[in-house]
Amino acid sequence: DRLLELGALPIINENDTISTEEIAVGDNDTLSAVVAATTRAELLILLSDIDGLYTDDPRKNPGAQFIDLVDKVDDHYMKMGKGSGSDVGTGGMATKLSAAKIANASGADMIIANGDDFHVIHRLLDGRNIGTLFVGHLDENFDLVDVLEEDR
């Protein structure tokens, strides 16, 4: 909380050493959504090797359509999540969609954008329409523990 009060921009990476005990959430997407939910963040930005959410994997299906706005992550969108599309990722779109459910239920918006663009965060904060925006809707019955249990 103190770092946030000072204006720090948290960059979450489960593989970074932050204590002698491992957190073991499972992936950076979920960990960052948990941090966003517990800190009452307004916005979570997930940087990836893809521009955002597509109807299918655009690397395998050239007809895949880009989705720039998701009002509610439902089963229709969850079915679009697939395993990791790169050799360096561990969760792929499936974990990003699960992270969106967590962040959105806590009231935070979430954006998936391509991290290859060095200035993407600046452009997003300037209001540019980049990536896929998942709109947050505070769920009064939101219970982070319940949500995490559902995903296991």
Side-chain angles (χ1 to χ4, degrees):
D1 284 340
R2 180 68 181 131
L3 288 172
L4 293 173
E5 289 171 13
L6 294 171
L9 177 65
I11 298 174
I12 310 299
N13 187 336
E14 187 178 45
N15 300 325
D16 289 345
T17 303
I18 57 173
S19 73
T20 56
E21 293 184 34
E22 182 150 349
I23 298 173
V25 169
D27 62 89
N28 288 320
D29 300 328
T30 303
L31 178 60
S32 62
V34 168
V35 171
T38 58
T39 60
R40 300 160 310 282
E42 294 177 20
L43 176 65
L44 170 61
I45 301 171
L46 296 184
L47 298 180
S48 185
D49 61 352
I50 193 164
D51 294 335
L53 180 64
Y54 287 81
T55 55
D56 196 10
D57 185 342
R59 296 176 190 105
K60 297 177 182 171
N61 179 356
Q65 299 294 309
F66 182 75
I67 300 168
D68 64 345
L69 179 68
V70 174
D71 187 56
K72 180 172 175 37
V73 181
D74 57 19
D75 288 341
H76 169 75
Y77 291 107
M78 291 303 290
K79 289 177 184 171
M80 293 179 193
K82 299 209 167 120
S84 178
S86 72
D87 293 335
V88 293
T90 56
M93 195 54 67
T95 61
K96 288 169 182 45
L97 291 168
S98 292
K101 285 175 64 175
I102 293 168
N104 290 168
S106 73
D109 292 334
M110 188 184 97
I111 296 173
I112 299 172
N114 196 319
D116 288 340
D117 176 358
F118 180 76
H119 296 287
V120 69
I121 293 176
H122 294 107
R123 291 183 177 118
L124 286 167
L125 296 179
D126 283 342
R128 293 265 196 70
N129 186 14
I130 300 171
T132 300
L133 171 64
F134 297 82
V135 180
H137 302 282
L138 181 61
D139 179 351
E140 296 297 329
N141 298 316
F142 175 71
D143 184 334
L144 184 56
V145 174
D146 287 344
V147 172
L148 291 173
E149 288 297 319
E150 286 176 17
D151 284 342
R152 290 192 194 271

